[in-house]
Amino acid sequence: MVRDAPDPALYAAQHTLGERGVPAVVIGLAGGVEPELVWHNELGGLTFRIGERYVKWSPRAAGIDLDAERLRLEWISARHPAPRVLAAGADAEAQWLVTAALPGEQAIGQTWQARRPEALRAMATGLRALHALPVDDFPQEWTRQSWVGRTPSRLGPRPPLADPVIVHGDACAPNTLISPAGEWTGNVDFGDLAVGDRWADLAVASMSIDWNFGRGHADDEFFDAYGIAPDPERIRYYRALWDAES
Ligand SMILES: Nc1ncnc2c1ncn2[C@@H]1O[C@H](COP(=O)(O)OP(=O)(O)O)[C@@H](O)[C@H]1O
Ligand SMILES: [Mg+2]
């Protein structure tokens, strides 16, 4: 699980790419075009845009398995607007994933703070679409490999699960893409895809809304747009599970 940095503009300003600069493999993939750094996660993973492609590069030391994410992207991108995998690779130092650019941009930053109701509606629309997918052909072992599928005894019993859905697993604002017109265009970052309780996503999404947009907006704007009343017990449980297991 990669925790997204709350503010990528700040990250871009504060973090350099280290002494080696852009990884050599990314330069090679760019074929003479200048790769644009668009994201830097807290584990040292980097995402570059190269024309109509994105390259997600993750150092081995991050402990993330981009090959697992590749399999999940291949599954979900056939069913939902998600990055289509074009290529993947690995060497001793890092793994990388090349995907086709989806339209839209991350639903964060100054623009979307100023247009917060549209951003929160886009998050809700994306999750509604994802949660409406059939769960029958989902590879069951992926749920066990995600924080979503774990039930540590110290958290007490998991709230009853009546209506399992496809769970994104990292349903934060930066993983939601939005068009200039304010429409949801897709989702990224599916390494923790699972089948489980929609509240696993709704709890994380509303937490991310508190971080990225300030507290107090999730209840009336996000949950309203999703069409559900806040469920304090499940919000508490899934935030605790996220903290404990992701
Ligand atoms: N195929 C793609 N199309 C559009 N944007 C993308 C694509 N892949 C990655 N991105 C952008 O790069 C950012 C980082 O990618 P992500 O998979 O979320 O990495 P991380 O696991 O480090 O959060 C995303 O939030 C999104 O803005
Ligand atoms: Mg992300």
Side-chain angles (χ1 to χ4, degrees):
M1 155 69 47
V2 178
R3 292 285 178 97
D4 284 313
D7 184 343
L10 200 63
Y11 256 82
Q14 289 176 343
H15 289 257
T16 66
L17 290 176
E19 284 163 17
R20 290 166 302 105
V22 181
V25 65
V26 175
I27 294 174
L29 287 165
V33 177
E34 177 103 28
E36 177 197 354
L37 178 67
V38 294
W39 188 249
H40 183 302
N41 70 42
E42 65 180 17
L43 297 172
L46 306 172
T47 301
F48 297 88
R49 183 170 185 146
I50 303 169
E52 288 306 302
R53 294 175 297 157
Y54 279 80
V55 181
K56 182 167 175 172
W57 179 92
S58 190
R60 299 273 185 188
I64 296 293
D65 184 7
L66 278 193
D67 207 48
E69 183 170 346
R70 174 184 64 79
L71 294 172
R72 287 151 182 77
L73 283 177
E74 286 170 354
W75 190 89
I76 194 67
S77 64
R79 294 161 174 82
H80 182 86
R84 189 165 52 82
V85 178
L86 300 174
D91 60 20
E93 186 195 9
Q95 291 175 299
W96 56 91
L97 209 48
V98 185
T99 59
L102 289 166
E105 62 170 10
Q106 293 176 322
I108 55 169
Q110 281 182 0
T111 305
W112 298 109
Q113 274 168 10
R115 297 172 63 183
R116 189 192 63 235
E118 293 164 275
L120 272 47
R121 206 158 43 234
M123 289 176 70
T125 304
L127 290 176
R128 261 282 167 220
L130 186 72
H131 296 164
L133 294 174
V135 299
D136 313 345
D137 58 345
F138 187 80
Q140 286 180 14
E141 67 275 16
W142 291 353
T143 297
R144 289 191 292 275
Q145 292 161 13
S146 168
W147 67 273
V148 176
R150 296 191 199 121
T151 51
S153 55
R154 68 185 182 285
L155 292 191
R158 186 178 71 185
L161 171 52
D163 175 24
V165 299
I166 302 288
V167 172
H168 180 287
D170 193 0
C172 58
N175 288 336
T176 307
L177 300 180
I178 188 167
S179 75
E183 302 286 343
W184 166 70
T185 57
N187 295 96
V188 300
D189 209 353
F190 283 90
D192 270 293
L193 199 61
V195 165
D197 195 320
R198 70 185 68 239
W199 284 98
D201 277 343
L202 298 176
V204 169
S206 53
M207 184 166 67
S208 156
I209 289 167
D210 288 352
W211 292 337
N212 292 108
F213 297 93
R215 295 183 74 87
H217 305 297
D219 283 7
D220 45 347
E221 294 175 10
F222 173 70
F223 289 125
D224 261 15
Y226 186 90
I228 203 165
D231 182 331
E233 183 198 352
R234 288 184 172 78
I235 290 174
R236 208 168 28 244
Y237 181 83
Y238 284 103
R239 286 183 185 175
L241 186 62
W242 157 278
D243 278 341
E245 299 289 332
S246 76

